[in-house]
Amino acid sequence: MLVSRVLRALLLLLALALLSSCAGLKVNPPDPSTPTMLIIPVELDAKVVSVRHGFYYVYEITKANDTSFAYDVEIKFPVPGDMLIIDSLPPGDYYVRKFTFLPIGTGDKYYGNNSVARHDTISLESGKVTIFSKSLKVTLRNQDPGRVGTIIYSFDIVPVTADQENAILATLKQQPNFDLWEVR
């Protein structure tokens, strides 16, 4: 249990960046502390008057051959526009075991079943960039357009499109050190 917590804390420290624009993007060269680059695409479509986001989202990633290893990728807003999350995990085969959405700042409230089982596979290799094949698309709308009030939240996990993958790679190619990585 302690080893799992230490490993989780270490992996959290390995997180390269949470991105909202090119200005915040930093790509480190591959090295022993960041042997892989996992890109997790997220799309935010927020046409709301309020800036507060009521939920955050978590992908639980597990090693394919060791279910005691669990790594949570937390996606928190507000983040203007689309974003990418870049993490580094040790090379190996993984799968997304669970996706959860949780309310922010509301204590123990849960809205129905907040978790859904997933079985998306991820294979990470040293020195290589892997773009997760699914994108989290979060949509926010005011119940009454143009008015502050009830916000309707929805999300879906959809396949990454070729255009989205090309846009991700175009953004990354502008960064120093990205040429040191190989794209899978």
Side-chain angles (χ1 to χ4, degrees):
M1 185 73 160
L2 179 61
V3 172
S4 176
R5 286 184 183 176
V6 169
L7 183 57
R8 180 179 270 175
L10 178 61
L11 289 173
L12 288 173
L13 292 174
L14 293 177
L16 295 174
L18 179 65
L19 311 173
S20 62
S21 69
C22 292
L25 179 59
K26 180 181 177 191
V27 174
N28 291 329
D31 64 30
S33 66
T34 54
T36 67
M37 186 186 304
L38 173 61
I39 309 294
I40 300 175
V42 178
E43 300 173 72
L44 175 61
D45 182 9
K47 293 182 174 67
V48 295
V49 175
S50 173
V51 295
R52 184 181 177 275
H53 193 90
F55 296 91
Y56 70 99
Y57 309 88
V58 180
Y59 284 109
E60 183 180 303
I61 298 175
T62 303
K63 277 191 150 182
N65 58 357
D66 181 6
T67 57
S68 68
F69 172 88
Y71 177 68
D72 292 339
V73 177
E74 292 186 1
I75 302 164
K76 294 184 178 182
F77 296 98
V79 176
D82 294 346
M83 71 175 206
L84 307 171
I85 295 175
I86 298 181
D87 277 314
S88 181
L89 294 169
D93 293 324
Y94 297 85
Y95 71 96
V96 176
R97 177 169 53 188
K98 180 171 54 171
F99 176 79
T100 306
F101 72 97
L102 298 164
I104 294 175
T106 57
D108 293 335
K109 281 189 183 173
Y110 288 93
Y111 297 90
N113 184 2
N114 290 22
S115 294
V116 62
R118 304 283 310 178
H119 299 285
D120 306 299
T121 60
I122 303 168
S123 183
L124 301 174
E125 297 178 41
S126 289
K128 294 187 180 180
V129 175
T130 302
I131 299 175
F132 182 48
S133 63
K134 305 293 182 189
S135 177
L136 172 63
K137 182 174 184 175
V138 178
T139 304
L140 284 70
R141 298 283 186 265
N142 285 101
Q143 184 173 2
D144 297 317
R147 297 180 140 195
V148 176
T150 303
I151 297 175
I152 299 169
Y153 296 88
S154 63
F155 64 87
D156 198 6
I157 298 175
V158 298
V160 172
T161 64
D163 288 342
Q164 189 177 15
E165 187 171 320
N166 290 336
I168 290 168
L169 292 174
T171 299
L172 292 172
K173 285 178 183 175
Q174 296 174 12
Q175 303 307 310
N177 300 319
F178 185 72
D179 59 333
L180 301 173
W181 291 90
E182 182 181 333
V183 178
R184 288 189 43 143

